Amino acid sequence: MTGVIETHPANRHEKESMADDDLETRSLRAVWHPCTQMKQHEQMPLVALARGEGAWLIDTRGRRLLDGISSWWVNLFGHANPRINAALREQMDTLEHAMLAGFTHAPVVALSERLSARTGGALGHCFYASDGASAVEIALKMSHHAWRNAGRAEKREFVCVRGDYHGETLGALGVTDVPVFRDAYGSLLQAAHVVASPDARQATAGGGGAAAADAARRALADAERLFADRAERIAAIVVEPLVQCATGMAMHDPCYLRALRGLCDRYGVHLIADEIAVGFGRTGTFFACEQAGVWPDFLCLSKGISGGYLPLSVVMTREEIYREFYSDTASKAFLHSHSYTGNPLACRAALATLDIFDEDAVLERNRERSAALAARLRPLRGDPRIEHVRSCGMIHAFDVRSEALGPDASSFARRFFTAALERGVLLRPIGRTVYWMPPYVLTDAECAHLAEATAGALDAVLDGDA
Ligand SMILES: *Cc1c(COP(=O)(O)O)cnc(C)c1O
C-alpha cells in the first residue's frame, strides 16, 4: 500500500518539495508541539536543534545555547554524555526491550536494588512506568487499592497542595493546582482537596528561616483541619518536596515535610512524595525528603532518573504497602502495566547515571557549583525590580516585581525567553519567575555566561527593547 502512494508522481513531487523546506517549517506543518499555543509560532520562531554537547544545545545554524533549564529539568550530566552513551551502546547490542510481566533482566533488577539502597531499604519495591504523570497515576491507584485490600474501600479521596503540579493525565491533573494546565479539563477530573502551600514567599519581612517555618506551620494547620474532618475518606496526600517547581519554584522549609509525615501517621493517610523534578540531587541531597529525615509511603521519580536520556519513571513503596497486595486473590494484585515498563535501555541509562553520582562525588561538587551560582545571583538582591531571590541546591530563582513588568506583563516570560536565546542561553521563565535549573556539569565560565545572559535579557525586557 505504501509502495503505491510513494511511487505516485504527484506524491513524490510533494515529498521532495517538503524536504526542501527548513526543519522549522516542516515541524510546524507536521508536529503538534507540547505545552504550546501553535499560533504563537507565527511570531516566535521554533529553534531547530542539530545536536547537543555537554551543557550546550547547538541549532541547525550553528548557534550555541547553554541549557539553563536542563531541557525541562531532565538532563543531569550534559547532552551526549560519553559514559551514558557507552552504556546504552552496550545495552542495545544485548537486550533492547522485553516485557516485564513474567520476565526480568539485569538492568531493572540492579536499578531497583540501587534505588532502594538510596532509601536505606525503607522503600524496597519499585514499580516502573515511562513518564512522570504515569508514576503519579500509579501512586494514586496503589494508595487507594492498598486501602481497599485492607477493607477500607471508602478511602478514595486525595489531597494536594495549593500550586502543586503532578502531571497532565487526568488522574495526575486531578491533584494538580496550576490553573493554566487544569482549567479546560476541570469538568473531567475527580476533584481533590487542596490545602495551603508552605511556600516561604508568603512569609513576612525578608523571608529567612523563622519566617519560612511560620509559613510551614500555617500550611500544616490547614492540612490537619482537613485530616481531622475527613481522614476516614482520604487515601493520600501528594506533595512536591522542598520545591513546587511548575508553579514557579516555590520553596519551603523541610520542617513542613517532617511534620506532614507525622500528621499522615496520626490520621492514617498515605504520603506520596512526587520527586519527579526534585529527585536525583536537584535540591542538594539525592532525594529531597532526606532533608526532612522522613520517607514517604510512595516516592515518585522520573525526569533526571535516566540522566535526561529516555522516558522512565518509578514508584517506590514500603514493605507494608506491598504486603497489602500479596495474596492468592488476583483482584488484590496491582494489575497496572505500560508496554515499556522497565525498559532495559532506559534502566541502563539510569544505572550509568547512578554510576556517575558515585564515581564523581556529584553531590559534593554541586555544593560548590550551587554556591557559585548563588553568588552570581547576589547582585540581584539589591535590584529594586526583583524580589524573592532564592536557592535550593541546584535550583535558583527570583521573581520580577509586578510593578516592574510594565503594561505587557503577560508576555514577559515569552519575551525573556527570546532575549535569552539572543544571548546564547535557554531559559524559560514561569510567569514572572526566572529560574536556573542547569545540568550538573557547568564550569565557572558557563556559570558566568548564564548570569550575564540573564542580566542582559532582564535589562532588555524590562527596559522595553525586547
Ligand atoms: C514534570 C513533572 C511531572 C510530570 O512528569 P511527565 O514526565 O512530564 O509526565 C509530575 N510531577 C512533577 C513534580 C513534575 O515536575
Side-chain angles (χ1 to χ4, degrees):
M1 193 183 84
T2 51
V4 174
I5 291 169
E6 278 177 14
T7 51
H8 191 282
N11 277 320
R12 198 162 57 231
H13 174 74
E14 187 182 326
K15 255 182 105 181
E16 278 161 14
S17 70
M18 280 170 72
D20 285 345
D21 286 332
D22 61 22
L23 211 51
E24 292 90 331
T25 307
R26 287 165 55 205
S27 191
L28 289 174
R29 194 156 51 213
V31 181
W32 197 335
H33 290 265
C35 201
T36 298
Q37 170 49 267
M38 293 298 289
K39 191 165 193 290
Q40 270 180 6
H41 281 303
E42 288 178 7
Q43 279 95 46
M44 216 168 107
L46 263 179
V47 181
L49 296 174
R51 60 195 180 87
E53 183 186 288
W56 298 83
L57 294 166
I58 296 122
D59 77 7
T60 49
R61 295 178 176 80
R63 180 171 58 157
R64 293 169 61 81
L65 301 168
L66 186 68
D67 189 350
I69 58 166
S70 299
S71 288
W72 256 354
W73 320 344
V74 300
N75 191 285
L76 299 190
F77 300 119
H79 297 279
N81 181 290
R83 285 146 87 183
I84 303 175
N85 287 2
L88 280 176
R89 272 191 206 102
E90 192 192 63
Q91 187 59 43
M92 225 153 16
D93 289 334
T94 314
L95 177 67
E96 82 301 335
H97 183 69
M99 62 193 286
L100 199 64
F103 296 86
T104 195
H105 49 78
V108 78
V109 174
L111 180 59
S112 306
E113 290 172 348
R114 288 175 68 179
L115 288 175
S116 169
R118 287 267 180 187
T119 71
L123 304 172
H125 301 276
C126 294
F127 194 100
Y128 291 90
S130 314
D131 294 290
S134 320
V136 171
E137 300 279 337
I138 287 164
L140 297 174
K141 283 176 68 179
M142 233 181 220
S143 167
H144 170 66
H145 199 164
W147 288 120
R148 183 186 167 85
N149 285 350
R152 305 284 310 275
E154 73 284 1
K155 284 170 85 72
R156 53 177 298 281
E157 296 175 7
F158 296 108
V159 184
C160 67
V161 176
R162 177 76 55 215
D164 254 13
Y165 176 90
H166 297 292
E168 319 254 358
T169 54
L170 292 180
L173 205 50
V175 288
T176 286
D177 182 52
V178 181
V180 63
F181 299 126
R182 192 190 151 97
D183 283 354
Y185 314 104
S187 65
L188 305 180
L189 307 174
Q190 175 183 326
H193 302 284
V194 183
V195 291
S197 166
D199 181 354
R201 286 176 302 181
Q202 308 161 92
T204 44
D214 224 42
R217 262 192 298 278
R218 279 198 300 273
L220 286 160
D222 194 41
E224 178 152 26
R225 264 192 301 276
L226 176 69
F227 285 7
D229 183 39
R230 45 188 312 126
E232 69 281 358
R233 304 211 153 260
I234 294 172
I237 180 168
V238 50
V239 296
E240 286 185 80
L242 298 190
V243 189
Q244 295 178 275
C245 296
T247 198
M249 304 300 157
M251 299 178 184
H252 59 255
D253 193 292
C255 73
Y256 174 74
L257 295 169
R258 195 158 46 240
L260 187 64
R261 174 72 271 181
L263 279 185
C264 287
D265 290 341
R266 191 132 34 91
Y267 287 93
V269 170
H270 290 148
L271 177 60
I272 302 174
D274 175 352
E275 294 214 14
I276 288 165
V278 296
F280 293 88
R282 271 301 165 197
T283 67
T285 43
F286 192 80
F287 296 124
C289 283
E290 291 172 47
Q291 294 183 43
V294 298
W295 295 113
D297 300 293
F298 301 92
L299 179 64
C300 301
L301 304 171
S302 187
K303 292 204 165 112
I305 190 171
S306 67
Y309 265 66
L310 287 161
L312 179 68
S313 64
V314 63
V315 178
M316 300 176 67
T317 192
R318 297 176 180 280
E319 182 68 18
E320 296 83 343
I321 306 269
Y322 178 76
R323 284 282 144 199
E324 291 291 355
F325 294 82
Y326 203 82
S327 157
D328 292 322
T329 314
S331 64
K332 283 201 165 187
F334 193 61
L335 299 179
H336 182 110
S337 68
H338 296 284
S339 307
Y340 285 99
T341 294
N343 175 261
L345 284 166
C347 290
R348 191 62 192 273
L351 287 169
T353 298
L354 290 178
D355 288 343
I356 297 176
F357 270 102
D358 293 342
E359 291 162 15
D360 292 6
V362 170
L363 297 175
E364 288 76 5
R365 289 177 59 188
N366 271 357
R367 275 201 275 281
E368 293 157 31
R369 205 170 266 127
S370 174
L373 286 166
R376 295 199 177 272
L377 273 188
R378 209 158 293 137
L380 288 178
R381 285 185 187 272
D383 189 320
R385 303 169 300 175
I386 303 301
E387 60 184 348
H388 302 308
V389 179
R390 56 197 183 275
S391 297
C392 180
M394 286 297 285
I395 305 174
H396 300 267
F398 61 85
D399 300 341
V400 177
R401 286 181 190 275
S402 304
E403 313 85 81
L405 285 174
D408 203 5
S410 66
S411 68
F412 167 77
R414 196 154 25 98
R415 286 181 290 131
F416 187 97
F417 167 79
T418 303
L421 282 188
E422 285 163 3
R423 288 161 180 79
V425 169
L426 164 51
L427 288 173
R428 212 169 176 276
I430 300 168
R432 57 193 180 90
T433 299
V434 177
Y435 71 92
W436 297 337
M437 210 199 274
Y440 307 162
V441 293
L442 283 204
T443 61
D444 282 344
E446 287 163 347
C447 290
H449 177 62
L450 182 60
E452 278 158 30
T454 303
L458 198 63
D459 289 341
V461 172
L462 297 186
D463 296 348
D465 353 317

